[in-house]
Amino acid sequence: MMSSRFWKKRKKPERKGGHKLKKIMNEPGNIVEEMLEGLVKSYPELIHRVDDSRVVAKNQQAEQVGLVSGGGSGHEPAHAGFVGDGMLSAAVLGDVFTSPTPDQVQLAIKEADRGKGVLLIIKNYTGDVLNFDMAKEMAAMEDIEVESVLVDDDIAVEDSTYTAGKRGVAGTVLVHKILGDAARSGASLTELKELGEKVVQATKTIGVALRAATVPEVGKPGFELGEDEIEYGVGIHGEPGYRRESLQSSRVLAQELVTKLLDAYSEVPKEVGVLSQWDGRNAFNGTIRVHERRVSFDGRKRGQCNFQKSRKLHDLARYAGCIFNTDRSCRNEVERSIGK
């Protein structure tokens, strides 16, 4: 047993650079390559890496319209983690927060093509739009029919950094799953494009940041937020939001976010689904689920009280399992929320 004198001599360690995020990795410049290798080796029976490219594709490609999505790395499990039955045929990854190149996107299109055409699901960022559109033109020269759906679900700001118009963020996952199941069920390229545009139109998202993301090769946060500050509407790459203020209670946050979401619809929605998600980088401990449930509860109360804007507010959290599995019946539940 240690003596009490030992404890008296110990000093509390100083905490320096409190905002710096610890990351477990090897060389920052190799992080995307190692992540891809690790993903493919973990699920060799389901997916493969196309040659030495940044393209991940399904092993079993069915005779259906191919679905391709992608973008910069750093948003995992998007997009390689969404390749599989009932979701994407292939995904293409760029460097962290950097769009993949047109030739990499073209390779993903060719890998996904089974003679019925390929649909590109593109988040609305300038680099992604330009490179995916160029790849679409390149594929057309090889007689591959390609259409696209542009996801711009983030209602926080318009014409932000890297974006003309609204940004494409978390709503992209809903597009992946709903269109993935429709493609598996035999929908045509035209039908998938029409359904995708309807899903995008019905999907509204907004976020609030407690802390900035840290790009591995940069090694420091993309912007500074005080310990007692939050910022509404920050983009997934750290793009500026629309307001910064002191940390608020979950009730105040829910009222701000849900009110803005409901106001974003041009017509009063009969039913609204709400899915809340807290990033572990902001609260990597056992309280994360408590935060999420608390905000979901306050958001649900806010929606039910606002009868003039929404007759009924559902908690889409109970559908979260549907979004990420292959149960075809789940698609009906989600589509019912968007009024299909």
Side-chain angles (χ1 to χ4, degrees), residues 257-300:
L257 301 179
V258 173
T259 297
K260 279 195 171 293
L261 287 170
L262 291 175
D263 286 344
Y265 289 95
S266 57
E267 296 181 3
V268 179
K270 294 180 180 179
E271 257 185 355
V272 179
V274 174
L275 176 62
S276 64
Q277 176 64 47
W278 284 76
D279 191 332
R281 290 173 297 184
N282 294 331
F284 192 58
N285 54 48
T287 64
I288 181 170
R289 290 299 174 189
V290 177
H291 296 327
E292 184 174 333
R293 296 295 178 260
R294 177 69 251 177
V295 176
S296 293
F297 172 77
D298 287 328
R300 193 159 55 244

Side-chain angles (χ1 to χ4, degrees), residues 175-195:
V175 181
H176 289 169
K177 180 54 190 170
I178 294 175
L179 296 193
D181 184 71
R184 179 176 58 182
S185 300
S188 68
L189 183 59
T190 300
E191 290 170 335
L192 288 171
K193 179 177 174 62
E194 291 175 354
L195 176 59

Side-chain angles (χ1 to χ4, degrees), residues 118-227:
V118 175
L119 184 71
L120 303 179
I121 301 171
I122 310 169
K123 299 190 305 300
N124 189 31
Y125 292 95
T126 302
D128 286 356
V129 172
L130 290 174
N131 290 348
F132 275 74
D133 280 350
M134 190 177 298
K136 179 179 175 181
E137 294 174 1
M138 293 162 64
M141 291 188 288
E142 298 189 30
D143 295 323
I144 301 176
E145 187 179 5
V146 182
E147 291 289 351
S148 61
V149 170
L150 187 66
V151 184
D152 60 350
D153 52 300
D154 188 356
I155 65 165
V157 295
E158 291 212 27
D159 301 323
S160 180
T161 313
Y162 314 128
T163 306
K166 296 181 296 177
R167 303 175 295 215
V169 290
T172 311
V173 181
L174 296 176
V175 181
H176 289 169
K177 180 54 190 170
I178 294 175
L179 296 193
D181 184 71
R184 179 176 58 182
S185 300
S188 68
L189 183 59
T190 300
E191 290 170 335
L192 288 171
K193 179 177 174 62
E194 291 175 354
L195 176 59
E197 290 172 346
K198 187 171 185 178
V199 174
V200 171
Q201 186 178 13
T203 304
K204 314 293 181 186
T205 64
I206 192 169
V208 59
L210 282 68
R211 183 173 299 173
T214 299
V215 176
E217 291 191 78
V218 176
K220 61 181 181 179
F223 60 92
E224 292 295 331
L225 270 178
E227 286 293 330

Side-chain angles (χ1 to χ4, degrees), residues 40 43 48 56 82 87 128 135 169 190 198 267:
V40 171
Y43 304 98
H48 64 277
V56 173
F82 299 146
M87 292 195 79
D128 286 356
V169 290
T190 300
K198 187 171 185 178
E267 296 181 3

Side-chain angles (χ1 to χ4, degrees), residues 51-112:
D51 300 327
D52 293 324
S53 70
R54 293 281 183 83
V55 176
V56 173
K58 291 192 297 187
N59 291 344
Q60 302 295 327
Q61 296 282 5
E63 296 299 318
Q64 63 176 59
V65 174
L67 295 184
V68 172
S69 191
S73 297
H75 309 298
E76 287 63 42
H79 294 274
F82 299 146
V83 174
D85 185 34
M87 292 195 79
L88 298 178
S89 306
V92 55
L93 284 71
D95 289 328
V96 176
F97 292 1
T98 304
S99 175
T101 61
D103 59 316
Q104 296 270 34
V105 179
Q106 183 193 22
L107 183 60
I109 292 172
K110 293 168 70 174
E111 186 71 16

